[in-house]
Amino acid sequence: MIEVTNVSKWYQQFQVLDDCSLTIRKGEVIVICGPSGSGKSTLIKCMNGLEPFQKGEIKVDGVSVGAKGTNLPRLRSRIGMVFQNFELFPHMTVRRNIALPQVKILGRTRDEADARAVKLLERMGLPAQADKFPAQLSGGQQQRVAIARALAMDPVAMLFDEPTSALDPEMINEVLDVMVALAQDGMTMAVVTHEMGFARRVADRVVFMDQGMIVEDATKEAFFGTPRSERAQLFLSKILQH
Amino acid sequence: MNYSWDWGLLFRSPHIDWLIEGFRNTVVMAVLAWFIAMSLGSLIGVMRTLDNPVAKRVGTIYVEIFRNIPLLAQLFLWYYVIPELLPAAAQKFVKRDMADPQFWTSVVGLGCYTAARVAEQVRSGIQSIPRGQRAAALAMGFSTAQVYRYVLLPIGFRTVIPSLTNDFLGVFKNSSLALTLGVMELTAAARQIEEYTFHSFEPFAAATVLYSCVTLLVITLMRVIERRTRIAGSVGSGR
Ligand SMILES: Nc1ncnc2c1ncn2[C@@H]1O[C@H](COP(=O)(O)OP(=O)(O)O)[C@@H](O)[C@H]1O
Ligand SMILES: [Mg+2]
């Protein structure tokens, strides 16, 4: 579904991604972890063309992200993305946040889009929030709305960039539960997170990044058993302490 | 002071007609110039926030030029210099056939000058939006134009409504400079009454009252608009 082949990226002199290769098959859930600044966000932003890269190739469902003629908006509309800071549009109600992209990008009618929004909000456990504005919701609720907004586009894959890092501890689980359900429904997912409980439950593979390199790409059994690299071991021991 | 007040002269013909015409010209000029300023200014402001270096550069040059030349000099340039630089056919139109050239020159001059200010407001409004909003909108699959149309401009404009109100009041007051080109606007009307009647207090008092009324009206209206468009749950919305 998503094939990353020998991708390198620089900010001027500074190399953010160093020869990264990664394959995510249909229905697979991979968790990407690693220290802050290791290039995790950059890597998944390259997958939907939010960040350009200088070397290598990324293909989504057979379409090359970096190629000149690629219709990026169209490609992006088929990949859902969820951000650390939710990024709901603050001037729209929850319903409109979910409905507007369906109408303007997919060409659905307003009624179809609204119906879809209501259904997804129910699935996210937020049936009563449709007419509120984002700032009137808690962080956990906002993030679930953001997930609903992405799902409304019927994406072939979902990218998550630290979806629970900005949440108060008591709200983390309500978001993780939704993501687990999504994984169990067979969604193709790439999740940047340090929630190793989530990785244990639903990840097929765990990818460890450090200094722009993919240091480890292993099944979760292998990763949590004995990671091969010392850096991954060190990282794991640190984050599993709390 | 030995001054014989005569407020009645304001309401005698032709003085009242001059005042009405002057007031009408001032308001119409300000509204038309504002229309130019908002359309052109939004475009220029947006250009300055694009990734495209050429668009950015053009926007910056526009703002620097129109903000740094005094408005009066700009009006003279538009009226006396620019027509000379036009091709022959256009020159003939501007100098001979165009109705009311002083009025239209003032509108264009005021509009282009104020556009530079509006552009700066729009740019700062857009740049005050966290970068994640643009990324999220792009990630949904919106085109760049749609990102501006549905996300960046609606949020950006809301944050700069107070400064835009000031710019509108600016264009309204600056329209008095059109009298230097011979446009019969409110200040010119007051001056003309003074010249005919040797009464200066009454006509200028009338002009002041009219300017103030419009200013108050605009401020009140913009407060209502600001309240109506305020985002629920955001800082200062009281919820
Ligand atoms: N726009 C940018 N310009 C320069 N350096 C950047 C930019 N964005 C990110 N970086 C750098 O790239 C590195 C990787 O960033 P990021 O992908 O956000 O890491 P992570 O998500 O793993 O914490 C960091 O060292 C960061 O400082
Ligand atoms: Mg990150």
Side-chain angles (χ1 to χ4, degrees):
Chain A
M1 182 63 62
I2 301 177
E3 286 167 81
V4 180
T5 319
N6 304 114
V7 166
S8 293
K9 174 179 170 70
W10 288 263
Y11 284 118
Q12 282 94 42
Q13 302 301 313
F14 177 71
Q15 186 161 12
V16 225
L17 295 178
D18 187 352
D19 203 31
C20 294
S21 295
L22 178 67
T23 302
I24 308 169
R25 280 176 285 275
K26 193 168 186 310
E28 232 176 2
V29 176
I30 68 151
V31 161
I32 303 169
C33 60
S36 169
S38 56
K40 308 177 299 288
S41 299
T42 308
L43 179 66
I44 68 166
K45 281 180 180 158
C46 285
M47 292 181 189
N48 64 355
L50 279 184
E51 288 283 351
F53 48 92
Q54 285 84 25
K55 266 174 85 175
E57 189 179 44
I58 297 180
K59 280 191 167 177
V60 175
D61 213 9
V63 181
S64 169
V65 176
K68 265 226 152 68
T70 301
N71 183 343
L72 272 181
R74 195 183 152 73
L75 181 138
R76 288 176 184 141
S77 72
R78 306 184 60 223
I79 310 173
M81 189 159 195
V82 175
F83 298 83
Q84 183 172 350
N85 293 314
F86 329 131
E87 305 300 353
L88 294 173
F89 306 131
H91 57 303
M92 300 177 195
T93 60
V94 162
R95 184 201 311 276
R96 197 165 155 75
N97 260 281
I98 303 174
L100 185 81
Q102 300 178 59
V103 173
K104 299 300 172 189
I105 298 164
L106 301 181
R108 290 182 185 152
T109 66
R110 257 194 91 154
D111 289 345
E112 277 177 295
D114 279 346
R116 195 74 215 283
V118 168
K119 240 186 169 153
L120 279 163
L121 284 172
E122 265 167 32
R123 186 167 149 200
M124 295 294 134
L126 299 166
Q129 316 294 344
D131 294 314
K132 289 194 180 161
F133 284 83
Q136 297 170 322
L137 302 181
S138 73
Q141 291 174 322
Q142 287 187 58
Q143 194 62 298
R144 283 182 283 155
V145 172
I147 294 172
R149 179 175 70 173
L151 289 177
M153 304 295 284
D154 294 322
V156 295
M158 290 276 289
L159 309 174
F160 294 82
D161 190 0
E162 305 207 30
T164 58
S165 305
L167 295 178
D168 293 334
E170 71 270 18
M171 295 175 185
I172 290 178
N173 278 329
E174 65 191 52
V175 171
L176 288 180
D177 288 346
V178 165
M179 291 170 60
V180 166
L182 202 56
Q184 287 166 347
D185 279 354
M187 177 59 77
T188 309
M189 294 162 69
V191 185
V192 176
T193 185
H194 291 161
E195 293 293 334
M196 289 302 136
F198 173 80
R200 281 222 166 82
R201 277 172 78 185
V202 294
D204 293 296
R205 283 185 297 134
V206 180
V207 170
F208 177 75
M209 286 186 73
D210 194 20
Q211 298 183 2
M213 280 180 281
I214 293 184
V215 180
E216 186 119 9
D217 178 351
T219 63
K220 82 177 152 195
E221 292 79 14
F223 187 80
F224 289 117
T226 40
R228 278 161 291 178
S229 71
E230 263 176 51
R231 276 183 291 189
Q233 285 175 17
L234 192 70
F235 176 78
L236 261 185
S237 70
K238 266 191 201 147
I239 63 166
L240 289 182
Q241 269 165 17
H242 37 250
Chain B
M1 196 174 76
N2 192 9
Y3 187 83
S4 66
W5 295 93
D6 179 10
W7 292 102
L9 71 87
L10 292 175
F11 301 98
R12 283 198 289 275
S13 199
H15 309 152
I16 181 74
D17 308 313
W18 294 343
L19 276 178
I20 290 173
E21 191 202 338
F23 183 64
R24 207 200 59 209
N25 275 338
T26 289
V27 170
V28 173
M29 246 186 329
V31 169
L32 291 175
W34 185 245
F35 184 76
I36 295 177
M38 280 298 280
S39 340
L40 188 60
S42 302
L43 181 74
I44 302 281
V46 164
M47 279 166 72
R48 295 195 74 184
T49 65
L50 292 173
D51 288 331
N52 183 324
V54 178
K56 228 179 211 160
R57 187 103 200 96
V58 171
T60 308
I61 292 173
Y62 181 94
V63 169
E64 291 306 325
I65 290 179
F66 282 88
R67 212 173 40 166
N68 291 326
I69 301 176
L71 176 55
L72 189 57
Q74 287 188 34
L75 290 178
F76 286 170
L77 283 171
W78 282 111
Y79 191 62
Y80 296 110
V81 181
I82 304 284
E84 303 299 326
L85 307 176
L86 294 173
Q91 230 180 78
K92 179 163 165 273
F93 170 77
V94 170
K95 289 184 181 167
R96 271 201 13 216
D97 304 333
M98 187 167 82
D100 220 349
Q102 296 90 346
F103 177 86
W104 290 107
T105 306
S106 305
V107 166
V108 170
L110 280 166
C112 290
Y113 171 80
T114 314
R117 303 178 151 273
V118 170
E120 282 303 89
Q121 311 294 3
V122 170
R123 178 177 70 94
S124 81
I126 291 173
Q127 285 176 345
S128 72
I129 302 169
R131 284 203 65 82
Q133 285 282 306
R134 183 194 295 256
L138 284 173
M140 294 302 303
F142 284 120
S143 66
T144 301
Q146 286 176 321
V147 172
Y148 278 90
R149 162 80 178 77
Y150 298 115
V151 181
L152 299 181
L153 287 176
I155 302 173
F157 270 121
R158 277 177 170 85
T159 60
V160 297
I161 287 176
S163 347
L164 284 177
T165 306
N166 278 338
D167 284 332
F168 177 75
L169 294 176
V171 90
F172 175 64
K173 287 177 264 189
N174 286 336
S175 67
S176 62
L177 287 181
L179 77 82
T180 59
L181 300 187
V183 177
M184 184 63 166
E185 46 69 68
L186 185 53
T187 305
R191 214 169 61 166
Q192 185 161 320
I193 296 173
E194 189 229 294
E195 280 163 6
Y196 276 72
T197 62
F198 302 107
H199 281 259
S200 54
F201 284 96
E202 295 89 341
F204 283 106
T208 306
V209 168
L210 286 171
Y211 278 119
S212 308
C213 285
V214 172
T215 301
L216 280 175
L217 188 76
V218 169
I219 289 178
T220 311
L221 191 73
M222 293 311 283
R223 287 242 173 89
V224 172
I225 291 180
E226 202 188 339
R227 231 190 341 262
R228 286 264 173 88
T229 57
R230 191 170 285 166
I231 297 166
S234 65
V235 183
S237 70
R239 287 195 59 174

